[in-house]
Amino acid sequence: MDLVGLLKENEIKHPKLEKKLENYKSDDFSEIYLFFDYDIKKIDEYNKDNLETQNEKIKEMLEFFNNETANGKLYINYPMVESIRYFRKGLPDEDYYTYTTNLFVGRKFKEDTNNFSHYKNLDFITSKDENQQSNWRHIINLNIKKANYICSGLNELPSEKNSINQQAIFENQLSKYVYSKNEISILNSFPLFLYEYFPIDYFN
C-alpha cells in the first residue's frame, strides 16, 4: 500500500487541504505514524454499523498498520486527542488510571475535558510541578502506567514494553470497558509512542 500516494490523492481531491505532500514521494519517508481517535458512533436506528462491526474495522487497521517502516504504524487515543490534558488534579494526578468516560461520548469529550481538567490549555505540558519535575515526564509516566493497568490490572511501569502494544491495549479496552461497562478508559497515545523510543529508565 502506497500510503503517501493515497494521502497525496486526497489532497488533490479536496481543494481546501494544503498540498504539503505535493513535492514528496514515498521513498522520501523512512517511517510513517498514524494517530487516530477511538470515536465510536452511537448505535441507533439510523446507524447500520453495530458496535462489533466498528471495532472489527479498527482491529483490522491495527493489524495492517503495525510497522512504521512498511505500511505505517497506528496509535489510538481513547477516546480522542484531548485526553492529553484530562487530569482532574495537578500533576502528578495519581488517580489518572481510574478515569473513564462513556463509550459514546463523542465530541462532548472536548467539553468534558474543559470542565473537568485541572489544566485549561496545553501550556502546562512544558511547565514543571511544584517540585520542579517536568510535567511532560509525568504525562508520559501516567499514561504508560495506565496502559499497563488496562492490560494487566497493575498501575505501574510494565516489565516489558511490548506488553502494552496497541493491539493489547485495544483488546483489553474492549473486554474490560467497552463491552462490559459501555465505557472507555481514557488514554493518550503520544506518550506511548515516545515510550517505544526511549529506555524504560528514562521514565522512572
Side-chain angles (χ1 to χ4, degrees):
M1 180 179 183
D2 182 5
L3 186 57
V4 175
L6 183 63
L7 292 172
K8 288 175 72 173
E9 287 180 16
N10 195 53
E11 287 184 338
I12 294 171
K13 292 177 183 177
H14 299 277
K16 291 184 179 180
L17 292 178
E18 296 181 29
K19 295 179 174 58
K20 295 183 177 181
L21 296 173
E22 189 172 21
N23 298 319
Y24 293 93
K25 55 184 184 297
S26 298
D27 291 343
D28 293 325
F29 299 91
S30 59
E31 298 173 346
I32 297 175
Y33 300 93
L34 308 166
F35 292 86
F36 284 16
D37 291 344
Y38 183 74
D39 186 14
I40 289 295
K41 304 303 180 187
K42 191 166 186 176
I43 292 118
D44 54 37
E45 59 188 356
Y46 304 106
N47 190 341
K48 295 181 180 180
D49 280 344
N50 60 32
L51 181 59
E52 290 78 10
T53 300
Q54 293 180 71
N55 283 319
E56 186 60 33
K57 290 177 181 177
I58 296 171
K59 180 182 177 183
E60 291 175 4
M61 290 175 66
L62 282 169
E63 290 173 350
F64 186 80
F65 296 108
N66 65 355
N67 189 320
E68 63 272 25
T69 61
N71 299 322
K73 188 165 185 178
L74 175 61
Y75 290 82
I76 298 179
N77 295 304
Y78 297 92
M80 56 184 59
V81 69
E82 282 76 12
S83 56
I84 194 70
R85 66 180 179 93
Y86 197 94
F87 300 105
R88 297 192 175 192
K89 298 184 292 188
L91 291 171
D93 183 350
E94 299 299 342
D95 292 329
Y96 178 64
Y97 78 100
T98 67
Y99 298 155
T100 63
T101 189
N102 183 272
L103 174 60
F104 303 112
V105 65
R107 294 185 178 181
K108 186 177 178 296
F109 185 71
K110 297 181 180 181
E111 179 185 338
D112 292 345
T113 301
N114 287 330
N115 291 337
F116 298 132
S117 177
H118 180 81
Y119 304 101
K120 300 309 176 185
N121 55 54
L122 296 176
D123 293 345
F124 80 100
I125 291 178
T126 55
S127 301
K128 295 182 179 180
D129 65 14
E130 58 186 16
N131 296 316
Q132 296 302 302
Q133 295 294 314
S134 165
N135 277 344
W136 185 233
R137 182 170 290 204
H138 286 314
I139 294 168
I140 293 172
N141 255 298
L142 290 169
N143 278 279
I144 294 170
K145 289 178 180 178
K146 185 164 188 178
N148 191 43
Y149 178 77
I150 291 169
C151 293
S152 71
L154 300 174
N155 182 36
E156 59 187 36
L157 293 176
S159 57
E160 296 182 3
K161 288 188 176 184
N162 193 50
S163 64
I164 58 169
N165 63 62
Q166 289 296 300
Q167 285 90 345
I169 293 170
F170 177 68
E171 290 171 4
N172 280 281
Q173 284 273 22
L174 294 187
S175 63
K176 296 177 182 178
Y177 297 93
V178 172
Y179 290 128
S180 60
K181 300 179 180 178
N182 275 343
E183 291 182 344
I184 306 167
S185 185
I186 296 168
L187 186 72
N188 192 271
S189 64
F190 291 108
L192 304 180
F193 161 73
L194 291 175
Y195 176 57
E196 295 190 7
Y197 285 85
F198 289 92
I200 192 168
D201 291 344
Y202 178 84
F203 303 101
N204 288 329

